[in-house]
Amino acid sequence: MLTKRIIPCLDIKDGRVVKGTKFLNLRDAGDPVELAQLYDDEGADELVFLDITASAEKRDIIIDVVERTAEKVFIPLTVGGGIKSIEDFRKILRAGADKISINTAAVKNPNLIKEASEIFGSQCVVVAIDAKRHYINEDEIDKIDKNVVKVEDGYCWFEVYIYGGRKETGIDAIEWAKKVEELGAGEILLTSIDKDGTKSGYDLILTREISKSVKLPVIASGGCGKPEHVYEAFVHGKADAALMAGILHYKEYTIEEIKKYCADRGIPMRLL
Amino acid sequence: MIGIIDYNAGNLRSIQKAVELYDKAVIINNSEELLACDKIILPGVGNFGSAMENLSKLKGTIYKIVDDKVPFLGICLGMQILFEESEEKKGIEGLGIIKGNVVKFKDVEKLPHMGWNNVKIIKDCPLFEGIKDNSYFYFVHSYHVNPSEDCVVGITEYGREFPSVINKGNVYATQFHPEKSGKIGLKMIENFVELL
C-alpha cells in the first residue's frame, strides 16, 4: 500500500540550515549534510532543501551541498529556491537532486513548468505554492471572481504569494493549482503563510481544497507543531505528504515518533 | 565495472554514487564503452518516446550485450522501454526484449503513483537476497508494465496489482528506484552488482 510521506525541510542560507517564523527571524540549525543523514536514519521519506540565499552568485554553495548530500543520502531530494531557468534545473539535477521546486519563477513564467516537464519529466517538477487567506465579508461572496471557501472564522479565498511570502499576486491558489497540473507539474508543495512557523497545525481547509482540485500529490506545509497535526493533514487535509522543519530541527519530536503516532491511528506509513 | 547508460535523461549521479558503494561505476554513451562493462544499468527518467529516440544509436549494442548474457538492470522508465510498446507514446517501438506493453494507471485518485510502496515477492530472484517480503521502495511513475510472458518476480498494489520487479534470464528490472529507496534499495543494488 502506498504510504503517506514525512518530509523534513531544510532551509539553507549560505550553506547552513536556518529556521525562522513566518519567513523571518532566522536562527542557525546546523549542517545540511549532517542533518540530511540524521533524518534519513530516522526514517524520513524524502528531503527538501530550500535555498533561501538564492542569489545567482551564491548558487554554487547549494550545488556543493547537494553534491555532498547525494554521496551519502539515498532517498529523494527536492531542491528549491530562486530557480529560474532550464539551465538552473539541469545544474541542480546533475548535482544529484531528484526534483526541483519552483515558485516565483513559475508564477512569472508558467511556461517554465511545461518546458521543464518536457525535458526532465513531470516527476522532476514540483510547483511550490505559498498561499495566504484573504478574508472577505459574506456579502462580497457573489461579487468576487475567486474560489471563496467557508473557514472556521468566516469566508476567504486563498491568494498566491511570491518572493518568499513577501509579494501578493492576486492569483487564486485553487485555480493556480489546476493550471500547474495542466502545464505538467508532478507535485504541489503547498505552504500556508498564515500558519508557517506558528506550530498551530497545518491549514487543513487550504490543503483539502487544493488536494481535491487536482490529481497531483500534495505536500502540506506550514504550521506543524506536533504529531497530531500531521495526522490531521493526512485525514482532514487529504495531503499525500507532510513537510516540517522546526519540530525536527529542535528535536521536539523525532520522525519515528510522528510516524508511529500516525501508524497507530491507521495511516499507512513506512516504518523502519 | 558497471556501466550506466546515459541517454540525456538527467540525474545519473545518485545511481552512480549508489553503485560506487560496491563497485566501479561509469556513465557511458557509446557502444565501445558499453561492451567493456561487466554489467549494465539502464536508468530512466523522461518519457518513452524521447528515451527510445536518444537510445537509437545504442540499440544494436544493447541487444548484443543481452544476448551475451551480461547482467542488465532496467530502472523505472528503463524497465518500461524493455517492452514492445507504451501507451505513453503510441507508434514508437520499445526494445522488445520482454514481450508485452506499458499502460497508464486507470481509476486511481492520484497520479503519478509517487512515494513508498511495498513489493510482494512472488518468485525467488537473486535481487531479493536478504530483502524481506513486503519491503518498501520509492516509486514515481504514471505507467506500468504489462508483460505477456512469464517474468514477474515482485508485485505492488496501486489501484490494481502491477509488476514491480521482473527477471528474464540475465535481464532484471524494477519499476521503483532502488537508488532512492534508502538502505533496502542499496541492498538490491548490491545484489545486482554481486551477480555472477
Side-chain angles (χ1 to χ4, degrees):
Chain A
M1 194 178 205
L2 183 66
T3 57
K4 299 284 186 183
R5 289 171 280 153
I6 301 291
I7 309 178
C9 177
L10 284 63
D11 286 351
I12 297 175
K13 187 168 194 292
D14 302 329
R16 295 286 294 175
V17 180
V18 292
K19 183 60 197 155
T21 307
K22 295 204 182 190
F23 293 78
L24 300 165
N25 304 324
L26 302 176
R27 286 196 280 166
D28 189 275
D31 173 62
V33 183
E34 272 174 35
L35 265 181
Q37 271 185 289
L38 173 76
Y39 292 148
D40 176 23
D41 289 342
E42 285 185 353
D45 295 310
E46 294 190 28
L47 293 168
V48 170
F49 283 179
L50 281 185
D51 181 12
I52 60 172
T53 327
S55 59
E57 63 273 20
K58 289 187 173 170
R59 177 65 77 205
D60 291 348
I61 301 178
I62 191 80
I63 287 177
D64 174 63
V65 170
V66 172
E67 281 179 353
R68 287 189 292 121
T69 306
E71 280 172 22
K72 291 184 169 147
V73 177
F74 295 93
I75 57 174
L77 172 64
T78 300
V79 176
I83 291 151
K84 289 188 191 65
S85 65
I86 292 297
E87 201 37 45
D88 292 341
F89 265 78
R90 199 181 300 280
K91 273 188 194 154
I92 298 171
L93 290 173
R94 196 167 285 166
D98 301 287
K99 312 181 196 180
I100 300 294
S101 152
I102 48 175
N103 184 345
T104 307
V107 172
K108 294 176 94 177
N109 171 22
N111 201 43
L112 180 61
I113 303 171
K114 191 163 188 276
E115 241 185 295
S117 65
E118 279 166 5
I119 297 173
F120 306 107
S122 285
Q123 83 289 336
C124 282
V125 185
V126 181
V127 174
I129 302 179
D130 290 349
K132 193 169 189 252
R133 291 183 177 192
H134 195 111
Y135 284 91
I136 58 165
N137 293 323
E138 201 170 346
D139 58 4
E140 291 175 289
I141 296 174
D142 297 330
K143 295 175 204 146
I144 184 169
D145 178 26
K146 306 285 181 202
N147 289 287
V148 176
V149 178
K150 190 172 186 326
V151 290
E152 309 84 351
D153 49 353
Y155 293 88
C156 75
W157 60 281
F158 296 101
E159 183 171 9
V160 175
Y161 276 64
I162 54 175
Y163 293 113
R166 290 191 299 274
K167 190 174 185 302
E168 74 274 17
T169 62
I171 297 169
D172 182 321
I174 295 173
E175 291 309 314
W176 177 232
K178 291 180 189 164
K179 173 118 187 260
V180 307
E181 175 166 51
E182 242 176 67
L183 288 167
E187 198 171 23
I188 291 173
L189 166 50
L190 178 66
T191 302
S192 160
I193 296 176
D194 302 299
K195 291 289 201 166
D196 190 62
T198 64
K199 299 200 172 167
S200 62
Y202 297 93
D203 188 334
L204 300 176
I205 298 175
L206 167 68
T207 310
R208 190 190 62 217
E209 290 299 321
I210 298 285
S211 190
K212 71 179 196 197
S213 305
V214 293
K215 250 190 151 187
L216 298 179
V218 171
I219 307 169
S221 156
C224 183
K226 51 185 180 179
E228 202 181 327
H229 294 151
V230 176
Y231 173 80
E232 287 168 353
F234 295 147
V235 174
H236 304 301
K238 309 281 174 215
D240 300 283
L243 189 102
M244 60 204 67
I247 80 161
L248 299 177
H249 302 338
Y250 300 123
K251 313 215 183 302
E252 289 158 26
Y253 294 93
T254 64
I255 293 167
E256 209 179 347
E257 283 168 331
I258 296 166
K259 284 190 156 183
K260 191 156 183 312
Y261 180 94
C262 293
D264 286 348
R265 285 157 185 78
I267 308 281
M269 304 296 300
R270 177 181 72 111
L271 299 171
L272 294 181
Chain B
M1 188 168 65
I2 314 287
I4 300 163
I5 301 180
D6 177 13
Y7 51 105
N8 223 348
N11 178 14
L12 299 181
R13 191 182 178 91
S14 43
I15 181 82
Q16 186 180 21
K17 291 289 161 192
V19 174
E20 278 175 351
L21 296 174
Y22 311 103
D23 198 350
K24 197 160 177 273
V26 288
I27 309 270
I28 49 179
N29 58 13
N30 67 61
S31 296
E32 250 169 60
E33 290 174 304
L34 203 60
L35 291 166
C37 293
D38 325 311
K39 294 189 179 76
I40 299 295
I41 295 178
L42 180 62
V45 275
N47 72 64
F48 195 89
S50 64
M52 283 314 298
E53 197 179 303
N54 292 332
L55 266 182
S56 58
K57 253 188 0 193
L58 295 178
K59 231 171 138 176
T61 317
I62 291 175
Y63 291 133
K64 180 173 176 0
I65 57 177
V66 168
D67 282 345
D68 289 347
K69 306 284 173 225
V70 174
F72 190 96
L73 174 65
I75 295 174
C76 197
L77 183 66
M79 171 196 228
Q80 298 179 0
I81 58 181
L82 295 174
F83 286 72
E84 295 166 299
E85 56 176 356
S86 171
E87 285 181 5
E88 189 176 13
K89 189 79 183 175
K90 296 208 170 108
I92 298 276
E93 269 182 45
L95 292 169
I97 292 168
I98 312 268
K99 300 230 171 328
N101 62 350
V102 182
V103 297
K104 194 165 191 175
F105 279 106
K106 284 166 201 80
D107 307 318
V108 287
E109 227 171 86
K110 293 281 177 177
L111 211 62
H113 170 225
M114 183 187 282
W116 297 76
N117 204 334
N118 56 311
V119 172
K120 190 167 183 242
I121 300 175
I122 59 167
K123 209 188 254 180
D124 269 350
C125 170
L127 289 188
F128 292 134
E129 186 68 43
I131 291 176
K132 282 190 199 134
D133 195 17
N134 286 314
S135 288
Y136 285 96
F137 294 89
Y138 186 82
F139 289 82
V140 50
H141 60 126
S142 298
Y143 296 80
H144 66 82
V145 301
N146 191 15
S148 53
E149 61 180 310
D150 182 20
C151 62
V152 182
V153 295
I155 56 171
T156 295
E157 198 250 309
Y158 189 63
R160 51 159 294 175
E161 279 181 345
F162 69 90
S164 49
V165 188
I166 59 170
N167 174 211
K168 178 185 169 186
N170 54 313
V171 177
Y172 302 82
T174 65
Q175 181 57 69
F176 51 82
H177 289 269
E179 79 282 13
K180 286 286 141 194
S181 299
K183 293 184 178 67
I184 290 171
L186 292 179
K187 176 66 187 152
M188 187 167 274
I189 287 174
E190 184 186 5
N191 288 343
F192 176 72
V193 170
E194 310 232 304
L195 283 174
L196 296 174

